Structure formats: structure tokens, C-alpha cells
Amino acid sequence: MAIWCRVSSRTIANANHMRKFINPASGLSPALNRGRPLFSDGNRRHLDSLPRNRATRVWFQRFKSTLAEKQQDSFLSSDSDEDLQSLQFPGGKVSYTSEMNFISESSETRVPCYRVLDDDGELIPDSHFQQVSEEVAVKMYSKMVSLQIMDTIFYEAQRQGRISFYLTSAGEEAINIASAAALSEQDIILPQYREPGVLLWRGFTLQEFADQCFGNKADYGKGRQMPIHYGSKKHNFFTISSPIATQLPQAAGIAYSLKMDNKKACVVSYIGDGGTSEGDFHAGLNFAAVMEAPVIFFCRNNGWAISTNVSEQFRSDGIVVKGRAYGIRSIRVDGNDALAVYTAVSAAREMAVNEHRPILIEALTYRVGHHSTSDDSTKYRKLDEIVYWKNARNPVNRFRNWVQSNGWWSEQQETQLRNSVRKQLLEAIQVAEKAEKPPLSEMFRDVYDYPPSNLEEQEKHLRETISRHPSDYPSDIPV
Amino acid sequence: MALRNIIGKRIGNGIGLVGRRSLSTSTSDVENRNAKSMNLYSAINQALHLALETDPRAFVFGEDVSFGGVFRCTTGLADRFGKARVFNTPLCEQGIVGFGIGLAAMGNRAIAEIQFADYIYPAFDQIVNEAAKFRYRSGNQFNCGGLTIRAPYGAVGHGGHYHSQSPEAFFCHVPGIKVVIPRSPRQAKGLLLSCIRDPNPVVFFEPKWLYRLAVEEVPEHDYMLPLSKAEVIRQGSDITLVGWGAQLSIMEQACIEAEKDGISCELIDLKTLIPWDKETVEASVRKTGRVLISHEAPVTGGFGAEISASIVERCFLRLEAPVARVCGLDTPFPLVFEPFYMPSKNKVLDAIKATVNY
């Protein structure tokens, strides 16, 4: 729970009296209430240091319930200070004040970012995190490496003209893998498009990735969409669509269904920093909050929406502060810290599933790669910025250091893994490239559950055209 | 008997009587047992009750549906089926449809209400880019076929720009969804149940003008009317008229008057606009050699254009006259000028005569 504290000049004399009601630890769920409170004593000192003649506002909340009918804490109305009498309005009781104060557009300090590993992958002393076993840690690390290699090789394949399009998750390997690792297989994923690592974690094979990118007969999507638009029912990973943020209100509906079916599962929906500007972000979060739907909204704030920097995307303190606007519990986490991401998602999942509430996670990170193969990001950002994040802030190296320091990984395993994944990928690409494309009939199926008469007519007509002009058509599509 | 007998007095138009005659051809679709006289919103309400009764995974949601809805279509549902299944949503059409897609994707029947068709546009992205392509893009791994979006549409006498629109043409251009429009209470109940149970996302436009004023004998049992099947509701030999929704009653009046001048009109209710029943319309045009299409929506780019082009392609040599369209004008739907804007009975009648005398 976040506490906003600004103190009015009138009540600063009562600061001590007020302070007993400002307890960062209260209202936190057990999952978060371990270790240090979110706001250190530094804030309390900040309270005392405010000049007394400055008119600022007292505003604190005890986060008790999502229901609008619940009253504000009774201590507000029982306080003798005339500023704290209360009024009843639709939506509940609210205290009033005769001092006019605007809530500041921003906090004095930004919401801090939860991290557990330092930049070198050393555990920060006294940090609170969820321990992972050797098996899980090694799997996480291996998948992060696999994602890196997969991205490199598929990107190259596009450059060579073998696939039409690709986009990488470079720099976001910890987000991809660690968030997936913290979930159960029954949790339903609604991706944006930069989360193939979630599929990788769940067991989607390199061949399956390659098949979709090549749009061949084995592609579950039957060659209908551009590369990277993966979808896998058996992995509870809904098919990617290009429009941004459309998945967010859908996530609320899916989560509501899980709740109605009493499933011990949640939905995790991913979005980038740019996507939070879409109307569907507002729609999705608001619906999830009102419907009390168990969905984790995971925002990958990687600083860039194609060429648009976050400074041109919003004027708020990132995305984490928006959660409160919807009555949604939120956290900001270091997206390049696999352990922190893992811990935050685990905690979020528990709250979502057990308390039937949405959670917002903002993971700060950096998009090391270009937006896609259709982009050259050196056109709008400095090369040294990219290189800095690629090397000094690399999430894979950071996690590797931690895994190695536990004695769970070696240089030899590293070499073995990289060679093995690389080899598998090159083979998968070869197989995918040679494989047959889906037959022409697949163009007409699945528009509806059964093809209506107009589509039957059009298929018939098209086949006649093809027989008259076969050279107009690609020869690798079986007619 | 005449459609006009089931339609009450229309504000500003002074047409017809409140009557209780049922449509002649509809008796062949549905058994008439235990039929009760009711209006359009009651018929829709019955359909929704049945939908929720027969499928525990059916949900009804939208703005203000809990207390019964601004047109009373959802009366009694929340009390009977509970707040978890019948609930108000925040005021956000893109959220309503997006949420509905999610519900439907999990195998539920998601019956979403958009308060007025005029407000459906924020949901257009979710409908076109998501719902319509959900099955196709996933290679049939996923689908949102359980989604039905209901919205009141059409002129109401005083609705102006934003309570009178007929936006069906926008949706008819989207492969992957169905668009269905009922003409009367009895049709509405059967068609809505079919839409709800159809395994494809459907947009169901309800002629709001008919909510209270159309009264008909509606069987109380659970029945469904087929989608993508047009119905000849009046037999004739000189000219084929094609329409849907509230406009059919206007067209029928024109047909009755044309008969006095010796013109025999065949009137077809399209019912489903996509995928539409070309065969029935074509068969009729082959018989009559003339066709007239009428809709409230503006003429340019309206769905009448699609019907016209298809009929000309298929029946060119049979046609005795150009395809006629009697439609709304190419203006935003006006308030005081509504009587001038609308494709009235006399406009239709003039066009019938002009076509026959071509």
C-alpha cells in the first residue's frame, strides 16, 4: 500500500497525533508485509522538515475494500479538528476541508523500484525475495539464454530474407522468463507481442516457433498471420494480435470467467509503456477493478514505443501510479532483475487468485533491440545508450552471476547450452523452411465456424482463376 | 396479415393502429402454441430469460442493464439470475465488448448490450479487429462465438443525430461476424435466441421504434429462427422489395397501396444482413424482374448498395428496370427534418411505380 503524506500547515502541529494513523504496514497483504515497509523512515523525516507556513494537504487512506459502499474510517469523523468533518455523497463519506489545496501533479519522489539483485547479480543485503530452487533457477537461466539465441537467429533469418518479419525481446529476458516461472500452467496469458519467453517457458518448442514464423502447414495459425503472432491453446497462451492493448479488457473478461468457475488461476496480460496510452488500457483496468477480476496487468516499461520515448508518452510517474486511479494495487519492479520479477509476480498471483482482485506491475527495463526488423532505432536514439543497456545492465548476465554464485552453473554448461540451442534452432529453421505451406482451402476456413455460401462461391471462382493464370500465384501453396 | 397492424402509432407519422394480428408467414416458422400478446422489448426480455435459464454460463451485461435497462429489455434478469450473471458495467463500450470477447473466449455466452447503436463506435476496434478475427487468426484454437452484441438502432421520431442511427453497413463489411435485424416481436425472440446460440460473434440491432409500439402474438416457449435465411413475407409478381427491421412496415404499407393500382409486390425480410441469403432474393427477382431496396441508413454506401450490386451481377438479363433504392439521405440524422429525411411510404410507393413503369 502506498501512503501519500503531505501535511497542512494547520495540522503539522498534530504531526505526532497524525503519525499513529500512518502505518505503511497496515493494510498490506501478508505477501508484502515481510521485511521492510515500502516507505522507509526517510519519508517521516520529510514530514517534519516541511515548513510550517506551507499550505499542503493531509491525505491518507486505509485501503480496505473495493466496494464503494464501505465507509471511510470512522476516526476521520470523530476527530475534533474542524478540517476533518465528513460529508456523505454517492460513493461514500469524504472529509472536507476549508483550505483549498490541489493535489500535486507528481509526488516529491518517484515510486521506488523493487529490486533484489544489484547490477552485478549480487543479492542486496536484507532483501526480501522468494527463494527459487536450483532446478527452477537453472531452468530460468537456460530459457533466458535460449530466448536470447532464438531472437538473434530469427532476426538474422529475417535479414537473410527467409522470413518476412521478426521482433526481439532483447533486454527483456528477465521479464519474459521470470514472470512466466512464477505462474502456474493454468494461468492464462494474454500477451502483447514481446513475450515469446512466456511460451518458451511453458514448453513451446523451437520448431513450433519456427513453423509460425515461416507460416507453414504446422503453424497452429495456419499461415494466416505475420511472424511472431504466436498462439497456443495447450499452453494457455492466447493468439497475439497486432492492435495494441486490445487484450486488456479481454483479460478482464477471461479473469471474470475464471472467478465464476472457481478456478484457482489468474490471467496475466502484458502491455508496453506505449500501450498504456490506449483507451483499452483504461477500459481493461477499470473493468477488472469493478468486476473484481483476478488479472495481473504486467506493463513492460522499456522506455520506447517504436521511436517514441516515454517522455512523449505520458506525464505521470510511469505506469505504477495509474493503478491507484482505478483502485488497483500496484508495484514497480526492476524488470531486469529476474528474482525481483519472480517474487513480485508470485505475490501478485496470490493476491489476484485469493482475493479476486487485479494487480498492476510496472517492470522498468530497456528495449535493447530495435522495435522490429522494420526499424532502425539508431535513427532516434544514441548507439551508446543501446550498448550501455546491452552490456552493463544485461538481465541475463546479472541472473547468471547469481545462479553461478550459488554453484548452480558453470562456464562449461554455458557453452554447451548455447551451442545446443543454436544447433536446434538452425535445424528447426531448416525444417520449417522446407515444410509445405498450408493448402489454399485454409484461407477460407475459420472465418465462421462453417463457410457461408459467399465464401464457397469465392473459393470456387478463385480456383477457376488460378487454373487460368497459375503463374500469378506462389507455387509453394498447395492449391 | 399486415405488419402495419402490429405497429402502433408512430410519433409524428400517424400511421397504423395498435393491433394484435400476427404476421401471416411467421406462423409457418413457429408453432403458435401458448402465444401471448406482447411488444418488442417484452419479446426480447423473454428471449434473454430463456437464454439465461437454459445455459448457466450465459451472462447479460452493459450499461444500466441491472435495473431493467433504459428500454426495459433486461427487466427481471438480475433478480432472477443474480448479480454475478446480470450486471452493470462501467460506461465504456470498448470495455463492454472487450470484456465480452474475453468471457466468450472461455466458452461462455456473453450477451453484451450497447445502449444505443449510435454509441457502438468505440467498440468498433474490438468488434472488427478482435471479435471478427478471433477464430481465424488463431487457426481455430480459440473463438469468441458465444458473443452477442445487442443494440437499439434506428429512427424513433425525436432521436436526432445520436439516438437514431442505423450503422449496420459498417458491420456488414467485416468478415467473421454476423449482423441480424428483426422486424417484429415474434421474430426478435426467435432470432435473438439463434444469435445467442450461434457459434459466431453476432451484432443484433433492435429497432427501438418498435420496442413498445409493435405488439404481436409471441409463443411463450423456447424457439429459434434460422439465421442467413431471408423470408418472403408478402407474395407478389411485379416487383421484389427487400428490407429489414422497422422499415418493413413502411414498405408493406406501400405494397398494399400499390396493390390498389394493380401492382403486385413481393416483400422480403432479409433478417440476416451478413451472411445474407442471396438465393431467396435472386429467386424472387427472377420471378418479378424488378427490385427495390429500402433502408433508413444513408443511401451512399448503405447495405442496399451491396444487395443491388449482387442482384445486378446475378440477374442482369432478367431485370426490367434499374435497381431502386429508397433510403435515408446523406446527412447526419436530423431532428426537426426527420420526416423529410426518412424513406417514407410515399417515397417507396413512388419508386415502386417508377420502377414498374420504367
Side-chain angles (χ1 to χ4, degrees), chain B residues 223-241:
Chain B
Y223 65 94
M224 291 163 61
L225 294 172
L227 301 186
S228 295
K229 264 231 111 275
E231 185 185 348
V232 178
I233 63 175
R234 183 189 177 88
Q235 303 265 1
S237 53
D238 295 329
I239 180 171
T240 301
L241 280 81

Side-chain angles (χ1 to χ4, degrees), chain A residues 244-310:
Chain A
I244 301 288
T246 49
Q247 67 277 12
L248 300 177
Q250 295 170 19
I254 291 175
Y256 188 77
S257 180
L258 288 175
K259 181 171 87 161
M260 287 299 294
D261 288 341
N262 279 315
K263 293 262 160 59
K264 285 287 166 209
C266 70
V267 176
V268 181
S269 194
Y270 294 84
I271 187 74
D273 43 282
T276 67
S277 296
E278 279 283 358
D280 272 338
F281 174 79
H282 167 71
L285 268 67
N286 196 33
F287 269 68
V290 169
M291 303 309 305
E292 298 180 4
V295 48
I296 298 173
F297 292 107
F298 195 109
C299 176
R300 300 177 291 95
N301 183 348
N302 64 21
W304 296 94
I306 308 189
S307 71
T308 306
N309 181 257
V310 287

Side-chain angles (χ1 to χ4, degrees), chain B residues 46-285:
Chain B
Q46 269 205 0
L48 294 173
H49 273 271
L50 283 165
L52 266 62
E53 198 180 293
T54 53
D55 186 348
R57 304 191 78 206
F59 298 81
V60 169
F61 52 95
E63 294 153 24
D64 303 299
V65 300
S66 194
F67 87 102
V70 294
F71 289 111
R72 304 203 215 156
C73 294
T74 52
T75 309
L77 293 173
D79 285 340
R80 188 169 166 209
F81 298 103
K83 292 172 70 154
R85 291 178 68 196
V86 180
F87 48 88
N88 291 341
T89 61
L91 209 171
C92 178
E93 287 76 15
Q94 67 197 97
I96 290 169
V97 174
F99 182 89
I101 290 171
L103 258 188
M106 296 295 281
N108 301 295
R109 293 199 200 281
I111 307 162
E113 176 175 305
I114 299 292
Q115 197 155 87
F116 283 85
D118 312 57
Y119 311 140
I120 200 167
Y121 309 109
F124 201 64
D125 185 34
Q126 286 285 349
I127 295 169
V128 173
N129 274 332
E130 298 292 314
K133 298 170 172 61
F134 213 80
R135 185 194 294 275
Y136 191 77
R137 74 190 187 200
S138 73
N140 201 20
Q141 292 185 91
F142 302 103
N143 75 77
C144 63
L147 176 66
T148 302
I149 300 167
R150 300 174 36 246
Y153 91 100
V156 72
H158 53 275
H161 297 353
Y162 304 113
H163 298 82
S164 316
Q165 289 179 42
S166 298
E168 69 271 9
F170 297 116
F171 299 92
C172 291
H173 195 53
V174 186
I177 56 170
K178 297 191 177 183
V179 177
V180 177
I181 305 183
R183 70 174 183 268
S184 74
R186 186 199 194 101
Q187 291 291 311
K189 179 176 168 180
L191 286 171
L192 180 56
L193 280 168
S194 291
C195 292
I196 290 168
R197 294 162 177 165
D198 189 277
N200 297 287
V202 182
V203 179
F204 186 77
F205 287 119
E206 302 166 356
K208 68 173 81 67
W209 167 53
L210 300 183
Y211 273 147
R212 292 195 301 136
L213 300 182
V215 178
E216 193 176 25
E217 296 286 305
V218 178
E220 294 208 293
H221 65 274
D222 186 338
Y223 65 94
M224 291 163 61
L225 294 172
L227 301 186
S228 295
K229 264 231 111 275
E231 185 185 348
V232 178
I233 63 175
R234 183 189 177 88
Q235 303 265 1
S237 53
D238 295 329
I239 180 171
T240 301
L241 280 81
V242 183
W244 50 87
Q247 189 60 12
L248 283 166
S249 73
I250 307 293
M251 294 163 85
E252 192 177 34
Q253 291 160 38
C255 292
I256 288 164
E257 275 201 42
E259 182 131 56
K260 298 187 188 130
D261 290 331
I263 301 172
S264 163
C265 301
E266 179 143 296
L267 182 58
I268 298 179
D269 178 6
L270 208 57
K271 300 203 215 182
T272 300
L273 270 60
I274 53 161
W276 68 281
D277 182 0
K278 291 189 179 125
E279 285 71 33
T280 299
V281 178
E282 187 183 342
S284 174
V285 177

Side-chain angles (χ1 to χ4, degrees), chain A residues 388-416:
Chain A
Y388 165 71
W389 280 92
K390 185 170 175 165
N391 298 328
R393 305 289 294 272
N394 188 310
V396 184
N397 296 344
R398 206 163 148 200
F399 191 57
R400 175 181 171 176
N401 288 343
W402 182 76
V403 175
Q404 267 182 195
S405 71
N406 285 322
W408 297 339
W409 194 253
S410 70
E411 190 61 54
Q412 191 196 14
Q413 284 168 291
E414 179 83 12
T415 315
Q416 254 171 12

Side-chain angles (χ1 to χ4, degrees), chain A residues 312-328:
Chain A
E312 297 178 312
Q313 197 65 249
F314 37 69
R315 282 297 142 92
S316 53
D317 171 16
I319 287 94
V320 65
V321 294
K322 299 184 191 214
R324 169 157 279 192
Y326 298 103
I328 293 179

